[in-house]
Amino acid sequence: MNSSSTDVRAALAAKGYGMGRGVRDTWARPSTAPVAPPARRSRPQAVTKATYSHEVGRRLTFEVPGTPVAKGRHRTAVVKNRVRNYTPEKTANYEAYVAGCAKQAMAGRPMTDGPVALSVTAYFSIPSSWPKKRQAAARAGELRHIQKPDIDNLLKSLKDGMNGVVWKDDCQVCELHNCSKGYCDSPRVVVTVEEI
């Protein structure tokens, strides 16, 4: 053993490091010193200046023009020998469209940070192949929309689209009021969010 390795060992021993048992030429912390977990590397977070407010009774109503789109199931693909999950393009585009309509309706108001109640009415177009009598019944609200998409999947796509715009997260939706779907000449979704 040369003098430089002896000096290094002495310096490490002075700092509380000692020779590990049964392991040759490896250094270990003494068992009496507390061992801190290794620091995790974290990605740099984007700095956002989001403001939140909550005012009981505050209400926001807006429309999302066009045919309502339900939340599609996540898809899975293998890319470069890795499994990748992704949201279907149609769903992602509709959620972005809902976010744009909600942002326009918010008009610069801050997001809410408290519990909210949500009301949704989805209107689908009346099929032109139906007889005129059936079309008139659909316009009058006598016929209900009982085909796909399901109302709960419609709610998912709307709630995900309003994340970060109307509320911080859709877990803030504590009550659902008057969620329905029907027929109309101009397909759209009418959304009402009320702070409770």
Side-chain angles (χ1 to χ4, degrees):
M1 194 180 320
N2 59 20
S3 64
S4 65
S5 64
T6 307
D7 294 338
V8 170
R9 288 182 188 210
L12 290 174
K15 290 185 177 182
Y17 290 92
M19 206 50 182
R21 287 188 180 161
V23 181
R24 189 174 174 191
D25 289 327
T26 37
W27 293 88
R29 289 187 178 272
S31 59
T32 57
V35 178
R40 289 182 134 184
R41 280 190 176 175
S42 63
R43 287 189 228 155
Q45 298 293 324
V47 177
T48 58
K49 292 185 178 180
T51 55
Y52 305 105
S53 71
H54 187 74
E55 189 178 310
V56 176
R58 191 171 76 164
R59 177 180 284 195
L60 171 73
T61 300
F62 65 97
E63 287 189 1
V64 181
T67 304
V69 176
K71 179 94 173 176
R73 294 183 188 270
H74 287 281
R75 305 286 187 227
T76 304
V78 178
V79 179
K80 295 182 182 178
N81 292 330
R82 291 189 174 234
V83 176
R84 179 179 168 257
N85 294 319
Y86 64 95
T87 302
E89 186 179 0
K90 186 176 180 181
T91 301
N93 290 342
Y94 188 70
E95 288 175 2
Y97 181 57
V98 169
C101 293
K103 190 172 186 177
Q104 185 178 10
M106 288 291 283
R109 286 181 282 182
M111 292 185 269
T112 182
D113 63 349
V116 297
L118 180 66
S119 299
V120 173
T121 305
Y123 294 103
F124 292 86
S125 59
I126 300 169
S128 59
S129 61
W130 283 2
K132 294 201 183 284
K133 189 174 182 179
R134 191 170 181 191
Q135 287 183 12
R139 274 188 201 90
E142 297 168 7
L143 285 179
R144 302 303 295 250
H145 188 274
I146 55 172
Q147 289 85 24
K148 289 191 178 279
D150 301 344
I151 190 78
D152 56 338
N153 291 333
L154 285 171
L155 286 171
K156 286 178 194 174
S157 63
L158 291 167
K159 287 176 10 181
D160 286 347
M162 289 186 278
N163 280 346
V165 178
V166 177
W167 49 61
K168 187 177 178 183
D169 190 60
D170 56 355
C171 65
Q172 293 172 237
V173 178
C174 297
E175 294 180 8
L176 294 174
H177 299 168
N178 192 24
C179 295
S180 61
K181 54 184 188 164
Y183 290 105
C184 185
D185 288 322
S186 57
R188 65 190 187 280
V189 179
V190 179
V191 180
T192 302
V193 179
E194 185 176 0
E195 296 180 359
I196 51 175

